[in-house]
């Protein structure tokens, strides 16, 4: 009987998203055959590690998943892993900040550049890691909008925003709150975080491709399957 499981391991090198070696794959394979349980191996990298998971079948090895329900489940797994590892890196780099403050700061950052993301010319103009969006083009956001978006009490948002303004991270403009371009903590311009995100995104895209998802067209069957179930 074949046994499929998610086998966690960790990348020892953040500078290159390499595949597991054949010996590591063989070791996992033998462990699964002998015990039916995944072998867990963690390699440290500078006091931290970035974990990865892959779908492995003890009889067939790596495989592509083409079934619509398999696509839904595997996309959920890999995208959740991407989000959690991204959040983990954010918390690690800004460990002097309360997680809720970080959530508010990055919600504001996202709102500030929605107009950039929606304008292909601006998106290209500020695509480089060295091109920071100036404050004058940022789209502000209100406290009430943040409260609704994050499902947080308005008073909580107000209190946190006041503290972040005091640290000169946020500024009040005529169009709402923005994360200042010159903030001392490099929010919105943290090169280490941006480079790590590129590695995590590369891993996500690689894992989805391995699962048979190369683009949005590959998700159409999954959407149809969901719609059919709802109709019943």
């Amino acid at each position: 009987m074949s046994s499929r499981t998610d086998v966690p391991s960790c990348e020892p090198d953040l500078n290159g998203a390499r595949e597991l070696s054949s010996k590591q794959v063989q070791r996992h394979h033998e462990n699964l055959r002998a015990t039916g349980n995944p072998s867990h191996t963690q390699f440290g990298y500078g006091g931290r590690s970035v974990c990865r998971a892959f779908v492995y079948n003890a009889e067939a090895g790596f495989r592509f998943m083409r079934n619509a329900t398999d696509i839904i489940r595997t996309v959920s797994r890999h995208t959740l892993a991407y989000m959690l590892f991204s959040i983990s890196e954010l918390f690690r780099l800004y460990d002097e900040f309360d997680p809720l403050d970080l959530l508010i700061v990055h919600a504001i950052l996202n709102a500030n550049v929605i107009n950039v993301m929606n304008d292909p010319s601006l998106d290209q103009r500020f695509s480089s890691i060295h091109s920071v969006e100036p404050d004058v083009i940022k789209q502000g956001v209100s406290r009430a909008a943040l409260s609704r978006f994050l499902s947080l009490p308005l008073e909580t948002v107000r209190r946190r925003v006041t503290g972040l303004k005091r640290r000169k991270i946020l500024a009040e403009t005529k169009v709402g709150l923005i994360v200042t371009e010159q903030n001392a903590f490099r929010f919105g311009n943290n090169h280490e975080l941006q480079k790590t995100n590129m590695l995590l995104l590369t891993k996500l895209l690689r894992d989805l491709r391995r699962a048979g998802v190369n683009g949005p067209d590959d998700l159409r069957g999954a959407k149809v399957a969901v719609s059919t179930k709802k109709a019943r």
Side-chain angles (χ1 to χ4, degrees), residues 105-120 122-124 126-127 131-141 177-181 187-189 194:
V105 167
H106 285 82
I108 296 172
L109 269 174
N110 180 70
N112 290 167
V113 297
I114 285 176
N115 58 329
V116 175
M117 291 188 286
N118 289 336
D119 186 325
L122 285 176
D123 212 15
Q124 183 176 11
F126 297 105
S127 61
S131 302
V132 184
E133 303 87 350
D135 291 347
V136 292
I137 72 167
K138 290 179 180 176
Q139 180 175 298
V141 61
L177 295 165
I178 65 168
V179 176
T180 62
E181 180 186 355
F187 285 116
N189 191 33
Q194 290 167 343

Side-chain angles (χ1 to χ4, degrees), residues 14-112:
L14 286 178
N15 294 318
R18 65 170 180 77
E19 297 288 347
L20 291 178
S21 69
S22 58
K23 288 185 178 180
Q24 286 175 297
V25 171
Q26 183 179 5
R27 187 163 61 249
H28 284 306
H29 193 127
E30 292 173 351
N31 181 272
L32 281 166
R33 283 184 178 279
T35 66
N37 295 318
S39 63
H40 294 183
T41 307
Q42 183 164 346
F43 302 93
Y45 175 81
R48 64 193 174 95
S49 60
V50 174
C51 295
R52 60 190 295 248
F54 53 89
V55 176
Y56 187 76
N57 184 290
E59 298 298 326
F62 294 115
R63 69 184 184 88
F64 291 101
M65 294 174 292
R66 298 293 182 181
N67 182 272
T69 54
D70 279 347
I71 289 176
I72 292 172
R73 187 170 294 278
T74 198
V75 167
S76 297
R77 280 197 301 266
H78 290 302
T79 52
L80 177 61
Y82 168 76
M83 289 188 291
L84 290 174
F85 288 133
S86 297
I87 292 170
S88 174
E89 286 298 293
L90 177 65
F91 288 173
R92 182 186 66 81
L93 286 173
Y94 290 108
D95 58 1
E96 73 270 33
F97 282 86
D98 184 275
L100 188 54
D101 285 339
L102 290 176
L103 182 63
I104 290 172
V105 167
H106 285 82
I108 296 172
L109 269 174
N110 180 70
N112 290 167

Side-chain angles (χ1 to χ4, degrees), residues 7-11 14 16-19 50-55 77-82 85 196-211:
V7 183
S9 72
C10 294
E11 288 289 353
L14 286 178
R18 65 170 180 77
E19 297 288 347
V50 174
C51 295
R52 60 190 295 248
F54 53 89
V55 176
R77 280 197 301 266
H78 290 302
T79 52
L80 177 61
Y82 168 76
F85 288 133
T196 299
N197 179 63
M198 290 297 290
L199 292 171
L200 292 173
L201 181 59
T202 298
K203 176 193 177 301
L204 171 63
L205 296 175
R206 186 184 63 213
D207 290 345
L208 290 177
R209 183 177 60 193
R210 180 185 292 131

